[in-house]
Amino acid sequence: MRDASRQQARAEQRALILAVAWMLVVQLACVALWDAGWLARQAALVHWLVVGVLPPAFALWGMRHSDAETAR
């Protein structure tokens, strides 16, 4: 049982690291596109929120939500 919880904790840590890395990469890309004049400030912010923040947030939320259901 402890081994399974350790594996779950490692999987959650990896998912969190990937989510943060993804958000930072997309944020830097949006800033670069804004600086280059390809996107307006508001468009860069919306793109970062939709592409950079929502997918990792939903993935992490789904991971935590499915853990609660399997614990029942």
Side-chain angles (χ1 to χ4, degrees):
M1 185 69 171
R2 283 186 177 176
D3 194 37
S5 65
R6 285 182 187 157
Q7 289 177 347
Q8 182 65 28
R10 284 190 210 123
E12 288 177 3
Q13 286 175 343
R14 284 191 299 261
L16 182 61
I17 289 169
L18 286 173
V20 170
W22 174 254
M23 286 189 294
L24 290 174
V25 166
V26 172
Q27 183 178 17
L28 290 173
C30 286
V31 168
L33 290 171
W34 173 44
D35 192 45
W38 287 39
L39 292 175
R41 185 180 68 176
Q42 292 85 2
L45 178 62
V46 168
H47 278 78
W48 176 67
L49 288 173
V50 171
V51 176
V53 175
L54 289 179
F58 284 142
L60 291 173
W61 179 74
M63 176 181 262
R64 183 55 82 179
H65 197 268
S66 67
D67 290 345
E69 289 177 357
T70 58
R72 291 182 190 180

